[in-house]
Amino acid sequence: MIRLAVPTIEKDDLEAVCAVLETGFLVQGSQVVAFEEMVANVVGIRHAIAVSNGTAALHLALLALDVRPGDLVVVTTYSWIATANVVELCGAQPVFVDIQPDTFNMDPHKLDETLRRLMSVSSTAKRVKAVLPVHTFGQMADMPNILEITSYYDLPVVEDAACALGASWQGRQAGSWGVMGCFSFHPRKAITTGEGGMVVTNDSSLARKLRILRNHGLDPDACAPEFVVPGFNYRITEFQAALGLTQMSKLKRIVIARRKLAKHYDELLKGSLLKSPYTPEGSDPVYQSYVVLLPEYIAPHRAELIAELKRQGIEAGIGTWHMPLTSYYRSRYGYRLGDFPATDDVFARSLALPMFETLSPSEQEKVVRAVMNLISEMD
Ligand SMILES: Cc1ncc(COP(=O)(O)O)c(C=O)c1O
């Protein structure tokens, strides 16, 4: 079977985890601190706070901004459901903004329209607390434009960079653009700690809040234990952090390999009916997933196509989720097909192809051949 995603786990990763397990010190030690420092250095930012997963990272980021019941958070439509769920978990409401059909990222023009609408009425303007773009599939959203729009209203931007560690825009790293950036180390990301996440920020007071909230509300700067707010246990373990350190040492290599694989897919798909992912000038993605668009007439048969690929030993998947049309958001807010036309189209037509460091060119050729053959049979 050619898997959709395979984490790169090597001997040094296994040894690092075992070495920590043998010490018996499994939480809140030097590995977490070293992992945080390494991520902060790579992203080029002052503070990094390791947490138990990417969802926890996003949740804490919004709580650190004091997002509360009744508030509004402006968020992209097309993402893993955690991006919208964390807004609801703060008791706030997501206001969705449609995507660009080619990059799959939040459309800055639509963000502009949405903010003009919300900010022109004082009762809604005061409820808007943050903007949450996603760097979809490891390609950065158009942060220069997004920040230009949000700075007009003085709104903080939290980057959902769950898939994008190592990605950059004009040389500046994902996660370093907004007031906070949130990463995930789930096994489908370029590097993994099993479950794991990180919030990065240059703001010392936000960093302090995040450290308090991730550890039961315990003040990290007090001499004696002081519980200053009701916090969570969103900590990562020492052995996960040890794995994070060895994984981080391979990040560059893994990203280079994924870019090479993406280029090979691009070449194989040139002139075909499948639309390969678009990369704007200045953007350096990490290809957390390689997602193509199927021709429109194939979209209704996508499940069949994925099932047939599986029968042929190839794992493929949909891109990600149309969050407003999932059961909860659809029933709570009444969203319908047509509300977000670009997302409607991309959600129906996306197909994620296998992407992992050790995927071989001949496996890629097999994948593309199989998809093309099936499409021509469905024609
Ligand atoms: C865009 C996005 N946001 C948030 C998350 C949540 O991360 P985690 O699975 O580590 O909680 C993911 C993860 O899969 C993601 O892809």
Side-chain angles (χ1 to χ4, degrees), residues 53-55 58 79-80 82-83 134 160 162-163 184-186 189 195-196:
N53 54 65
T55 309
L58 289 166
S79 183
W80 176 237
T83 311
V134 175
D160 182 341
C163 303
S184 163
F185 302 106
H186 178 274
K189 314 306 181 212
E195 299 282 4

Side-chain angles (χ1 to χ4, degrees), residues 176-195:
S176 71
W177 293 71
V179 287
M180 283 171 277
C182 299
F183 297 106
S184 163
F185 302 106
H186 178 274
R188 268 200 71 184
K189 314 306 181 212
I191 64 161
T192 187
T193 57
E195 299 282 4

